[in-house]
Amino acid sequence: MGWKLIQMSNKVATGSPANKAVLNQLAFAARDDSPVTWIGNGFMAQQSEYSTKTVERALPCLVEAGHVSILRIQGVINIHAVHPDGKWCAKPERAALEAHLRGWTKGGPPLIEIVMGWLLNLNPMLGGQAQEFRPTPDKLSGVDKSTPRHRGKESPAQCLKTLGTMSHEHKGSKKRKGSDARPIGDVLSGMPLPSGMTDALGGGGHIADVCNEPDR
């Protein structure tokens, strides 16, 4: 808990009661000798009795005013450094930061080292900063991620050809490649006619003979 940080936060202008409430929540969660916190927007909304959207709108305003800096660790959590009006309550030291960050349950040693390096090189007199860090798999070793896993891509459904999508050569009864199937016209033309029908028609003995005979 940062009592001096809270006093400093109460004295600075933030632009709105909501911004002041969010800054006070961050100062309350941080420490005077380790001005860093990793509380979530939902928790700050609950404690300040503002909506989560209000908290989300307040944070960029606090960064722009130079009261807060944010390190967004993608897929893990946001780290907030509190420096009201661009001033540290006490210059961060490695020992104090390390002791404080041990309470960060979502962070493993690789990420804790990154956060400490970010804080020790942060100059609040230059204004608040918003930085995003994308950890590699080795940095995420042993880290409890806060974002749910994404589902794997489902295999695309097979396209079933309809009459509208079939080409002309696929429509109707197509002769199978490599088979001995014959067109139906060739089959019928070679079939013999019954004897009675042959005499009646006065043609040859096959359907093809009758069909090809000239008109009389």
Side-chain angles (χ1 to χ4, degrees):
M1 184 179 298
W3 290 113
K4 292 182 179 180
L5 270 180
I6 295 174
Q7 293 175 358
M8 292 173 63
S9 299
N10 287 331
K11 293 178 181 179
V12 300
T14 60
S16 74
N19 294 350
K20 178 61 70 68
V22 172
L23 180 59
N24 284 338
Q25 286 297 320
L26 293 173
F28 186 82
R31 296 180 181 179
D32 293 335
D33 59 348
S34 178
V36 59
T37 175
W38 47 89
I39 57 174
N41 295 350
F43 180 80
M44 286 190 284
Q46 181 182 4
Q47 295 297 312
S48 63
E49 298 187 8
Y50 284 99
S51 67
T52 304
K53 290 185 178 180
T54 300
V55 173
E56 292 173 353
R57 287 193 296 266
L59 287 171
C61 296
L62 295 174
V63 172
E64 186 177 358
H67 303 316
V68 173
S69 292
I70 301 176
L71 176 64
R72 296 185 176 93
I73 304 178
Q74 189 180 43
V76 182
I77 207 166
N78 293 342
I79 304 295
H80 305 89
V82 188
H83 40 73
D85 210 15
K87 300 175 183 178
W88 291 124
C89 180
K91 186 176 180 180
E93 300 290 342
R94 175 173 287 272
L97 290 175
E98 188 173 6
H100 186 193
L101 287 168
R102 287 199 193 103
W104 176 25
T105 57
K106 291 184 179 295
L111 285 183
I112 288 177
E113 189 64 30
I114 289 170
V115 172
M116 286 196 299
W118 172 68
L119 285 165
L120 293 173
N121 290 284
L122 189 62
N123 187 354
M125 293 184 65
L126 300 178
Q129 299 179 22
Q131 183 177 344
E132 184 169 329
F133 174 71
R134 299 187 178 188
T136 53
D138 60 311
K139 298 294 188 299
L140 286 174
S141 179
V143 175
D144 179 18
K145 294 184 180 180
S146 60
T147 54
R149 294 182 180 178
H150 296 286
R151 293 182 178 179
K153 292 184 179 180
E154 297 180 359
S155 58
Q158 293 182 351
C159 176
L160 300 178
K161 291 186 178 180
T162 61
L163 291 177
T165 60
M166 292 175 62
S167 62
H168 179 73
E169 63 178 340
H170 286 84
K171 294 180 180 179
S173 59
K174 182 182 176 182
K175 179 181 177 181
R176 291 186 179 180
K177 185 177 180 180
S179 68
D180 295 329
R182 298 169 58 197
I184 187 66
D186 295 345
V187 175
L188 292 177
S189 64
M191 293 180 62
L193 288 171
S195 58
M197 185 177 293
T198 302
D199 298 336
L201 293 175
H206 294 80
I207 293 177
D209 298 334
V210 177
C211 294
N212 295 328
E213 185 176 344
D215 295 336
R216 289 175 293 179

